[in-house]
Coordinates of all heavy atoms in Angstrom, one line a residue:
E1 N 17.1 -5.6 -0.1 CA 16.7 -4.2 0.2 C 18.0 -3.4 0.4 O 19.0 -3.9 0.9 CB 15.9 -4.2 1.5 CG 14.5 -4.8 1.3 CD 13.7 -4.6 2.6 OE1 13.8 -3.6 3.2 OE2 13.0 -5.5 2.9
R2 N 17.9 -2.2 0.0 CA 18.9 -1.2 0.3 C 18.6 -0.7 1.7 O 17.5 -0.6 2.1 CB 18.9 0.0 -0.7 CG 19.3 -0.4 -2.1 CD 19.2 0.7 -3.0 NE 17.7 1.0 -3.2 CZ 17.3 1.9 -4.0 NH1 18.1 2.7 -4.7 NH2 16.0 2.2 -4.1
P3 N 19.7 -0.4 2.4 CA 19.5 0.1 3.8 C 18.5 1.3 4.0 O 17.8 1.4 4.9 CB 20.9 0.4 4.3 CG 21.8 -0.3 3.4 CD 21.1 -0.5 2.1
S4 N 18.5 2.2 2.9 CA 17.6 3.3 3.1 C 16.2 3.1 2.7 O 15.3 4.0 2.8 CB 18.2 4.5 2.2 OG 18.2 4.1 0.9
S5 N 15.9 1.9 2.1 CA 14.5 1.7 1.7 C 13.6 1.2 2.8 O 14.1 0.6 3.7 CB 14.5 0.7 0.5 OG 14.9 -0.6 1.0
P6 N 12.3 1.6 2.8 CA 11.5 1.2 3.9 C 11.2 -0.3 3.8 O 11.4 -0.9 2.7 CB 10.2 2.0 3.6 CG 10.2 2.3 2.2 CD 11.7 2.4 1.8
P7 N 10.9 -0.9 4.9 CA 10.7 -2.4 4.9 C 9.4 -2.7 4.0 O 8.5 -1.9 3.9 CB 10.4 -2.7 6.4 CG 10.1 -1.4 7.0 CD 10.7 -0.3 6.2
V8 N 9.5 -3.8 3.4 CA 8.4 -4.3 2.5 C 7.9 -5.6 3.1 O 8.6 -6.5 3.5 CB 8.9 -4.6 1.1 CG1 7.8 -5.1 0.2 CG2 9.5 -3.3 0.5
R9 N 6.5 -5.7 3.1 CA 5.9 -6.9 3.6 C 4.7 -7.1 2.8 O 4.1 -6.3 2.1 CB 5.5 -6.7 5.1 CG 4.5 -5.6 5.3 CD 4.0 -5.5 6.7 NE 3.1 -4.3 6.9 CZ 1.9 -4.2 6.5 NH1 1.3 -5.2 5.8 NH2 1.2 -3.1 6.7
P10 N 4.2 -8.4 2.8 CA 3.0 -8.7 2.0 C 1.8 -7.9 2.6 O 1.7 -7.7 3.8 CB 2.8 -10.2 2.2 CG 4.1 -10.7 2.7 CD 4.7 -9.5 3.4
A11 N 0.9 -7.5 1.7 CA -0.3 -6.8 2.1 C -1.3 -7.8 2.8 O -1.4 -8.9 2.3 CB -1.0 -6.1 0.9
G12 N -1.9 -7.3 3.8 CA -2.9 -8.2 4.5 C -4.3 -7.5 4.4 O -4.4 -6.3 3.9
E13 N -5.3 -8.1 4.9 CA -6.6 -7.6 4.9 C -6.7 -6.2 5.6 O -7.5 -5.4 5.2 CB -7.6 -8.6 5.5 CG -7.9 -9.7 4.5 CD -9.1 -10.6 5.0 OE1 -10.1 -10.0 5.4 OE2 -9.0 -11.8 4.9
D14 N -5.9 -6.0 6.6 CA -5.9 -4.7 7.3 C -5.4 -3.6 6.4 O -5.7 -2.4 6.7 CB -5.0 -4.8 8.6 CG -5.6 -5.7 9.6 OD1 -6.8 -6.1 9.5 OD2 -4.9 -6.0 10.6
D15 N -4.7 -3.9 5.3 CA -4.2 -2.9 4.4 C -5.1 -2.5 3.3 O -4.9 -1.6 2.6 CB -2.8 -3.4 3.8 CG -1.8 -3.7 4.9 OD1 -1.5 -2.8 5.7 OD2 -1.3 -4.8 4.9
F16 N -6.2 -3.3 3.1 CA -7.0 -3.2 1.8 C -7.6 -1.8 1.7 O -7.6 -1.2 0.6 CB -8.0 -4.3 1.7 CG -7.4 -5.6 1.5 CD1 -8.1 -6.8 1.7 CD2 -6.1 -5.8 1.0 CE1 -7.6 -8.0 1.5 CE2 -5.5 -7.0 0.8 CZ -6.3 -8.2 1.1
E17 N -8.2 -1.3 2.8 CA -8.8 0.0 2.7 C -7.8 1.1 2.3 O -8.1 2.0 1.5 CB -9.5 0.4 4.0 CG -10.8 -0.4 4.3 CD -11.8 -0.3 3.2 OE1 -12.0 0.8 2.6 OE2 -12.4 -1.3 2.8
A18 N -6.6 1.0 2.9 CA -5.5 2.0 2.6 C -5.1 1.9 1.1 O -4.9 2.9 0.4 CB -4.3 1.9 3.5
V19 N -5.0 0.6 0.6 CA -4.6 0.4 -0.8 C -5.7 0.9 -1.7 O -5.4 1.6 -2.7 CB -4.4 -1.1 -1.0 CG1 -4.2 -1.4 -2.5 CG2 -3.1 -1.5 -0.3
L20 N -7.0 0.6 -1.4 CA -8.1 1.1 -2.2 C -8.1 2.7 -2.2 O -8.4 3.3 -3.2 CB -9.4 0.6 -1.7 CG -9.7 -0.9 -2.0 CD1 -10.9 -1.4 -1.2 CD2 -9.9 -1.0 -3.5
D21 N -7.9 3.3 -1.0 CA -7.9 4.7 -1.0 C -6.7 5.3 -1.8 O -7.0 6.3 -2.6 CB -7.7 5.2 0.5 CG -7.9 6.7 0.7 OD1 -8.9 7.2 0.1 OD2 -7.0 7.3 1.3
L22 N -5.5 4.8 -1.7 CA -4.4 5.2 -2.5 C -4.7 5.1 -4.0 O -4.5 6.0 -4.8 CB -3.1 4.5 -2.2 CG -1.9 4.9 -3.0 CD1 -1.5 6.4 -2.9 CD2 -0.7 4.0 -2.6
D23 N -5.2 3.9 -4.4 CA -5.6 3.7 -5.8 C -6.7 4.7 -6.3 O -6.5 5.2 -7.4 CB -6.1 2.2 -6.0 CG -6.5 1.9 -7.4 OD1 -5.6 2.0 -8.3 OD2 -7.6 1.5 -7.7
R24 N -7.6 5.0 -5.5 CA -8.7 5.9 -5.8 C -8.1 7.3 -6.0 O -8.5 8.0 -6.9 CB -9.8 5.9 -4.7 CG -11.0 6.6 -5.0 CD -12.1 6.4 -4.0 NE -11.7 6.1 -2.6 CZ -11.8 4.8 -2.1 NH1 -12.2 3.8 -2.8 NH2 -11.4 4.6 -0.9
Q25 N -7.1 7.7 -5.1 CA -6.5 9.0 -5.2 C -5.7 9.1 -6.5 O -5.7 10.2 -7.2 CB -5.6 9.3 -4.0 CG -6.3 9.5 -2.7 CD -5.3 9.6 -1.6 OE1 -4.2 10.2 -1.7 NE2 -5.6 9.0 -0.4
V26 N -5.0 8.1 -6.9 CA -4.1 8.1 -8.1 C -4.9 8.0 -9.3 O -4.7 8.7 -10.3 CB -3.0 7.0 -8.0 CG1 -2.3 6.9 -9.3 CG2 -2.1 7.3 -6.8
S27 N -5.9 7.0 -9.4 CA -6.6 6.7 -10.6 C -7.9 7.5 -10.8 O -8.5 7.5 -11.9 CB -6.8 5.2 -10.7 OG -7.8 4.8 -9.8
G28 N -8.4 8.0 -9.7 CA -9.8 8.6 -9.7 C -10.9 7.6 -9.9 O -12.0 7.9 -10.2
T29 N -10.6 6.3 -9.6 CA -11.5 5.2 -9.8 C -11.6 4.4 -8.5 O -10.6 4.0 -7.9 CB -11.0 4.3 -10.9 OG1 -10.8 5.1 -12.1 CG2 -12.1 3.2 -11.3

């Protein structure tokens, strides 16, 4: 990682709704 990049971690079940919401916003699906 570069020092200025945000931390990256594996997605967990608590993240799924946020991932689905972002995907829906970007793809319209």
Side-chain angles (χ1 to χ4, degrees):
E1 289 186 39
R2 292 179 289 184
S4 63
S5 66
V8 177
R9 63 175 173 73
E13 286 191 41
D14 293 345
D15 300 305
F16 292 161
E17 288 303 320
V19 169
L20 285 168
D21 186 51
L22 176 61
D23 182 57
R24 192 172 25 257
Q25 289 175 38
V26 171
S27 70
T29 306

